[in-house]
Amino acid sequence: MATTANPSRDDFAALLEQTLGGAESFEGRVVIGTVTGIENDLAVIDVGLKSEGRVPLREFAAPGQKADLKIGDEVQVYVDRVENANGEAMLSRDRARREAAWDNLETEFAKTARVEGVIFGRVKGGFTVDLSGAVAFLPGSQVDIRPVRDVTPLMDIPQPFQILKMDRKRGNIVVSRRAVLEETRAEQRSGLIQSLAEGQVIDGVVKNITDYGAFVDLGGIDGLLHVTDLSYKRVNHPSEVLNIGDTVKVQIIRINRDTQRISLGMKQLESDPWDGAAAKYPVGAKLSGRVTNITEYGAFVELEPGIEGLVHVSEMSWTKKNVHPGKIVSTSQEVEVVVLEVDAEKRRISLGLKQAQNNPWEAFAAAHPVGTEVEGEVKNATEFGLFIGLDNDVDGMVHMSDIAWGISGEDALNLHRKGETVKAIVLAIEPDKERISLGMKQLERGGPSAAAIAGGADKLNKNAVITVTVLEVRDAGLEVQAGDDGATGFIKRTDLGRDRDEQRPERFQVGQKFDAMVTGFDRSKKPTFSVKAMQIAEEKQAVQQYGSSDSGASLGDILGEALKARNEKN
């Protein structure tokens, strides 16, 4: 029979179950223990179990700090196992802190409140943060408002974070430092922007530079200093004027309180160079300037810092047409220009580059008056004539009717090719129209002289009756010249008159003048004349004017009246 002094087997089993069962209920829980000793880097802790447990001292210290622990201190630990193979309790301070931290973090996350943590490690894509025992992930994009190259100054320092998401089952927590900064910054911006006013002059620090301008910190709020508001002079890139970290004095141009955007300006603090520009740069003034920019439609020339004028491509050269401005001038080149137009309201000045140079058409006219013989290369052949390259890069045109005598203009054009060197005579010059008219046929043997050309004596029309002068008497006919100084031609023996007696060349003398009709041009492009053709034409005209032989008047009477009328006219 079992007694208290002698328990039975069943009583012993029940007592063992009671003891072990109570101990096993400690597992997986956070309990309070007492530090009973410190051995090397371990703390010996009694939590009321059969045996004590040992916990590394580092688990009682914050990242980067030493543990402040002494015998007799009470601490919270997590019981992982009541007894291990060595008969000791397996305890963890980190697990205790983690469990307590998770409970607290879930509460703060529900309230979207900030939590305090310490960045203590670097992992792929970001950093690890200690949130009072719970380890969270801080993505690299969430460290700061702008990319941070060196995070070292931010590590091991307690600072606020915002929990973005958390999953206790997976042990996953994602936090953001950037969200806290943006919220704080928004509060600061809202307060600061109320204290600013348009037109106010304030000091700021250049924080960032872009292609279109610079961002300036005004003491908690950024403003944009656009590149066009940096200076009145041309600024191609803000880095030409500013450096990151520079302290600059700016004026607030515009404030949008809804979007909290601030526009700044520096040139507004300078005097406007366009004030009085019309008086400083009168039309026709010749000035020196520097080429600052070249486009397809022209070049910009800086006359002084802040004032630029445009030289349109059409005003760049007298002779170079349809050429890109970059082939005439280059950036930074010093040039002379003439003011063509000023519009101070629109801040525009039109300049001319060619006007500052001698007009080559006027120079050519002065050096080559009408009637002057010139030589040049055929630059181009068109359907109406030839363009000849002359002095000072000017071109003259030979109309197809002035290329050769006695043939059509189309045939005359085929006589010459591009690149051929030819001679011509100046017929007319119009500098205002940039036009020079040339003639080639006028230089041919038998063609009119310069004086005759100036007087218009080179116009010989077929069937026209003109006065000719005998130059030479031959058996086959007469060599004659139209007028006193015109084209030379030939009259065949049979064309000297209708009657055989009149067809004797020896009855004429050199220098003798008489009338003849232009009948055409021979293969050498020289005009041909005929007295006989003129007499026949006069007879026909006389018959029509004075009547036919049927009226009773003889042919002699009719010719007599015609000759009488002609002599009276002469």
Side-chain angles (χ1 to χ4, degrees):
M1 184 174 180
T3 65
T4 304
N6 299 298
S8 65
R9 183 183 292 272
D10 293 336
D11 293 334
F12 181 79
L15 182 60
L16 181 62
E17 177 64 24
Q18 180 182 355
T19 303
L20 294 177
E24 290 177 353
S25 64
F26 274 70
E27 291 187 3
R29 291 174 52 192
V30 176
V31 298
I32 297 177
T34 303
V35 178
T36 60
I38 297 177
E39 302 173 352
N40 297 327
D41 293 332
L42 300 174
V44 180
I45 301 174
D46 180 12
V47 294
L49 296 175
K50 290 192 305 179
S51 58
E52 299 168 330
R54 286 172 171 77
V55 180
L57 287 176
R58 57 180 172 78
E59 294 189 14
F60 293 92
Q65 300 178 12
K66 293 183 177 182
D68 183 13
L69 194 67
K70 58 183 180 297
I71 297 174
D73 288 347
E74 291 187 344
V75 293
Q76 287 185 330
V77 292
Y78 179 86
V79 181
D80 189 27
R81 292 181 62 184
V82 173
E83 187 177 3
N84 62 10
N86 297 324
E88 295 179 344
M90 294 186 64
L91 308 176
S92 172
R93 172 60 178 167
D94 284 345
R95 287 289 300 272
R97 292 175 64 245
R98 190 178 305 122
E99 291 299 321
W102 270 94
D103 292 339
N104 178 62
L105 292 175
E106 286 180 336
T107 302
E108 299 300 316
F109 181 57
K111 296 187 299 183
T112 65
R114 300 175 184 175
V115 295
E116 188 175 271
V118 176
I119 302 174
F120 68 91
R122 187 187 298 268
V123 294
K124 183 178 180 181
F127 306 88
T128 51
V129 179
D130 179 13
L131 301 178
S132 300
V135 178
F137 174 63
L138 173 63
S141 61
Q142 297 297 320
V143 175
D144 206 328
I145 296 174
R146 292 187 176 88
V148 178
R149 295 182 179 179
D150 186 10
V151 187
T152 303
L154 300 177
M155 298 183 72
D156 300 328
I157 298 176
Q159 51 192 313
F161 295 89
Q162 186 76 44
I163 299 176
L164 301 181
K165 65 179 181 178
M166 61 186 303
D167 187 340
R168 189 161 189 169
K169 292 182 179 180
R170 297 184 179 180
N172 182 23
I173 304 176
V174 180
V175 296
S176 171
R177 180 175 177 271
R178 174 178 177 174
V180 176
L181 295 177
E182 288 179 342
E183 184 177 346
T184 303
R185 185 184 182 195
E187 294 172 356
Q188 293 175 344
R189 286 172 63 94
S190 180
L192 180 59
I193 203 169
Q194 297 301 324
S195 65
L196 300 177
E198 293 183 358
Q200 180 180 352
V201 178
I202 189 172
D203 289 334
V205 178
V206 179
K207 292 184 64 176
N208 192 26
I209 295 177
T210 67
D211 291 339
Y212 54 86
F215 288 94
V216 179
D217 184 0
L218 304 178
I221 186 171
D222 290 350
L224 174 61
L225 178 58
H226 197 270
V227 63
T228 57
D229 290 311
L230 281 170
S231 175
Y232 282 109
K233 68 179 183 179
R234 178 183 291 273
V235 178
N236 296 315
H237 195 276
S239 59
E240 298 176 2
V241 180
L242 302 173
N243 295 305
I244 294 177
D246 287 351
T247 299
V248 293
K249 189 177 293 294
V250 294
Q251 185 179 61
I252 298 176
I253 301 174
R254 287 179 299 278
I255 298 177
N256 189 327
R257 301 188 187 279
D258 294 332
T259 60
Q260 295 189 341
R261 291 182 178 176
I262 301 175
S263 298
L264 307 174
M266 286 178 61
K267 74 178 184 182
Q268 287 75 6
L269 301 177
E270 305 172 358
S271 59
D272 190 347
W274 281 92
D275 293 341
K280 287 191 294 184
Y281 304 106
V283 174
K286 189 175 182 180
L287 309 165
S288 294
R290 181 177 62 89
V291 178
T292 58
N293 192 29
I294 298 176
T295 67
E296 292 184 355
Y297 54 85
F300 288 92
V301 176
E302 184 183 59
L303 302 179
E304 67 172 86
I307 292 188
E308 291 184 349
L310 172 65
V311 180
H312 192 267
V313 63
S314 61
E315 307 294 345
M316 301 202 76
S317 173
W318 289 107
T319 57
K320 297 178 181 178
K321 309 295 183 181
N322 300 321
V323 175
H324 191 279
K327 295 185 178 180
I328 300 177
V329 295
S330 58
T331 304
S332 300
Q333 179 182 348
E334 294 289 334
V335 294
E336 286 191 340
V337 292
V338 172
V339 178
L340 303 181
E341 183 181 357
V342 179
D343 189 336
E345 292 185 1
K346 295 183 179 179
R347 308 170 80 89
R348 294 177 182 173
I349 296 182
S350 297
L351 303 173
L353 188 65
K354 69 181 183 181
Q355 288 80 357
Q357 306 166 2
N358 292 329
N359 186 333
W361 310 96
E362 295 178 351
F364 183 89
H368 305 83
V370 173
T372 303
E373 181 179 332
V374 294
E375 183 176 348
E377 180 183 321
V378 177
K379 292 292 187 65
N380 192 23
T382 67
E383 59 182 9
F384 52 83
L386 303 174
F387 283 93
I388 311 299
L390 303 173
D391 296 341
N392 299 323
D393 292 328
V394 299
D395 291 345
M397 193 196 78
V398 181
H399 192 270
M400 62 182 187
S401 62
D402 288 313
I403 296 177
W405 296 101
I407 59 176
S408 66
E410 290 79 4
D411 292 338
L413 283 172
N414 294 329
L415 297 176
H416 301 281
R417 294 291 182 270
K418 183 177 180 179
E420 178 184 354
T421 299
V422 297
K423 292 183 178 181
I425 194 169
V426 179
L427 301 181
I429 304 176
E430 299 175 89
D432 56 332
K433 296 182 180 179
E434 300 182 357
R435 184 185 301 168
I436 299 175
S437 297
L438 304 175
M440 293 170 60
K441 71 180 184 181
Q442 290 81 358
L443 289 176
E444 296 179 4
R445 184 177 180 275
S449 65
I453 293 172
D458 60 322
K459 306 300 181 183
L460 294 178
N461 297 319
K462 188 176 181 179
N463 298 325
V465 176
I466 63 172
T467 300
V468 297
T469 302
V470 178
L471 298 178
E472 184 180 355
V473 179
R474 305 177 189 169
D475 292 340
L478 304 176
E479 183 79 20
V480 297
Q481 183 175 36
D484 294 330
D485 200 11
T488 61
F490 192 74
I491 302 178
K492 295 180 181 179
R493 184 186 187 99
T494 55
D495 285 321
L496 290 175
R498 293 186 61 178
D499 298 336
R500 184 177 295 275
D501 187 57
E502 295 176 337
Q503 296 174 355
R504 293 180 295 108
E506 59 269 19
R507 72 186 184 91
F508 294 91
Q509 296 179 355
V510 174
Q512 181 179 345
K513 299 179 183 295
F514 59 90
D515 290 343
M517 176 180 287
V518 179
T519 57
F521 299 87
D522 60 18
R523 291 186 177 182
S524 63
K525 309 165 193 174
K526 297 175 62 175
T528 57
F529 303 95
S530 173
V531 177
K532 179 179 178 180
M534 180 190 69
Q535 293 172 341
I536 294 174
E538 288 178 343
E539 287 179 7
K540 290 182 179 179
Q541 183 178 5
V543 171
Q544 293 175 356
Q545 183 174 358
Y546 299 103
S548 65
S549 58
D550 295 338
S551 62
S554 65
L555 180 60
D557 294 334
I558 295 173
L559 292 177
E561 290 294 330
L563 290 174
K564 181 180 178 182
R566 178 181 172 190
N567 292 332
E568 290 177 353
K569 182 178 180 181
N570 294 333

